[in-house]
Amino acid sequence: MEFSNENSLDNKKIMEYIKNIVFEGINKYENIRQGEPLSIDRAELFIKIYVTLSELVKNRPDKSIIFEEFYRSFLPEKNYKRVEDETTITYDSKMNILRRIHGKNKITVSEIFRYNTSSSDILDYIWLRKNKLLYRGRDGKLVINKKIYSKQLDNEAMRSLELKDIYKYLDEIPSILWSRILTSNFLGRIDNNDLLGFLSKFYGYSPKVNRRLLNELRRRLANGWDPSWFEWKKISRIIEDKSLRIEKYMGPYSLQWNTPKKLNVRKIVDDLENMPLKERWKIISRIYKNKNLLNILKNLDPISLSSIGSLNRVSDLKDKVLLGKSLANIITYMITGDESYLNYSIYFAEKINPDSLEPNLRPIYRSIISGDKKKLLYYLGIIMPINSVEFITAKIWDIMSSNTGINREQLSRAIRIGYEILKYTASLSGTTLSKRKKISSIRGRMDVRKTVFNYSRFNYNIVKRDKDREFRVFTLIDISGSMIKHSLWAVLSLASIMPIVKNIILFSDKVFVNKPPGSLNRGLIVNYLEKLFIEGFKGYTNISLALRTVKKFSRSNDYILLFSDLEQTVADTEPWIIAEKLISKNKVNLVVFTPPYHNIEAANMMERAGCIVVRTKSINDIFKWFKRGLNFKIQSKLIHVRGLK
């Protein structure tokens, strides 16, 4: 990579830049070949292709995927070793930094660096820290390892660092020097996730670095990068209201500080509805004052609008907002038993003009006014089941965070309410599967008697016994906080294939194995809700543990259905590594259902490991794949249920 204090490159610097790229290619070649002896011609060919490809795709967001495919195609699969960090920095090390360190046992960072420190000195410092030749003492000073005085370090040499080393140690150096490392060329070569990491860690300290980070972000957005909602969440915490002016829509969080010229209402509403309820509330509470966004708010449900504070700003939506506030309070009353919430709910409901409500919302209003809880839950199950259960989950988590421990009585009430809502939804999903389990025929051992009989009549066909085998499906459902809506889709969609499901595994950072009933019954829904309310509150996810667990039960040709956003928050083996072993050794079929918001890079890695990745936008996408992917003749009459979209 190039590190230059000047914007223009003269011939000498161009040659230096090319030399660094070539050395980078040599290091990559050494990493992936695993010591296998290959010809000089093949090594030369690899380096030429690497140098050419580096320039061709350096500004593309999918650069890491292209390089991964190049490495995979260059070597046979059995000799291929995945390179974890695609960005390796090779530089010309002079070790001038040793002159300031010489003769000392301890030193501070301010004693090492001056304003005129070169990029090579900064990289040498990071290299010494990485190799523990400089390390932190208890007093905060840098302790100098005696090995630093060896003759090997005095010589000039080409040395390498990984991107994670820059990320880990650069903030120890004065921020005025960061711009000598974080050049536009450097930022252009890292992938989107790494760029977000550098934004969160290094933005806001150096004006020059700030400009480069924002320019790179603008360039990627202009080239078609479409960040997911949680990626925009990271960006929105850093960039102030007017720092990044782009006319296009840049995700739900950008609506707080940027109103796009062309509003695609359906797209924005879908993005908002796919977010967790609490995140949706935060955004709505900040954008409702913007009159240009009123059409977006009109398409949202009452529970989402209940976070709006001033009703005068949204006079056209006043009654819908009041209904949302009334609903929120009566559900809270049903969970806690506190009558003040019931009184507050009636107070809001009495202010509503029912004629201005949408026709499908009026039954909910009448149920609140009449105090008929059974009918209220029935209509919530038909009209807005997912958002209602999301609200119950959020309320339970609030109670758990404010109190010490779990209130079992309130938890059992919440589970009972959630079940009453979901049982109506499940009955309307409209998909059924014959209770007869699907049987597949496989070729078994040779039938000796029939084969000899054939041979005696000059018929040389070997006869094998056909053996019926039961078609089996295992489901893994992520119940972490970010997966509330999608995990509800998963549980409800299982109603259509319940007779062939062997195990339902609910997981967060723990794993819960459930033997499924013959149909989607009370036990399964209650068990799911209990684990969702308790385990989802912790916010940890370990997909690898769930895959290792299902490996114990599965056998060849089984289907494993994984419902997850692929955001693993627990330190463990990468899930695609375990998935690849499952597919190659156990010969299973692994299908991953992801919500609209998911870890795109993890999904790509799962696909390359041999998984089928299904990106779902609604519960109907899951039903359709069951019919097509599992090759079932499901009697399907998909009734449109508002809230399942």
Side-chain angles (χ1 to χ4, degrees), residues 98-109:
L98 296 179
R99 296 173 187 172
R100 298 194 182 100
I101 295 173
H102 187 73
K104 297 181 180 179
N105 293 324
K106 290 186 178 182
I107 195 169
T108 62
V109 172

Side-chain angles (χ1 to χ4, degrees), residues 478 480-481 507-510 535-542 569-570:
D478 184 348
S480 59
F507 70 93
S508 53
D509 59 332
K510 298 178 183 177
E535 298 299 326
F537 172 71
K538 299 175 183 177
Y540 298 112
T541 309
N542 192 342
T569 57
V570 176

Side-chain angles (χ1 to χ4, degrees), residues 31-82:
N31 286 339
I32 70 165
R33 74 185 185 92
Q34 288 188 307
E36 180 192 2
L38 292 176
S39 65
I40 295 175
D41 293 340
R42 192 159 176 77
E44 183 183 356
L45 178 63
F46 175 88
I47 294 166
K48 285 180 179 178
I49 296 174
Y50 180 86
V51 171
T52 306
L53 207 56
S54 296
E55 288 303 305
L56 289 176
V57 302
K58 66 179 181 181
N59 295 325
R60 289 184 53 167
D62 58 347
K63 174 175 65 70
S64 61
I65 298 171
I66 294 171
F67 269 110
E68 189 71 27
E69 290 301 325
F70 165 55
Y71 300 146
R72 191 180 292 275
S73 63
F74 192 81
L75 287 177
E77 189 68 26
K78 63 180 181 179
N79 296 323
Y80 171 72
K81 174 186 173 184
R82 184 174 177 271

Side-chain angles (χ1 to χ4, degrees), residues 497-514:
I497 60 169
M498 196 60 74
I500 60 165
V501 175
K502 295 296 290 183
N503 288 103
I504 297 173
I505 298 175
L506 308 176
F507 70 93
S508 53
D509 59 332
K510 298 178 183 177
V511 170
F512 306 92
V513 181
N514 299 274

Side-chain angles (χ1 to χ4, degrees), residues 397-416:
W397 290 352
D398 285 343
I399 293 169
M400 288 168 65
S401 60
S402 58
N403 299 336
T404 54
I406 300 170
N407 188 321
R408 286 288 171 184
E409 185 181 352
Q410 292 179 349
L411 180 63
S412 63
R413 286 180 196 156
I415 292 171
R416 188 166 61 250

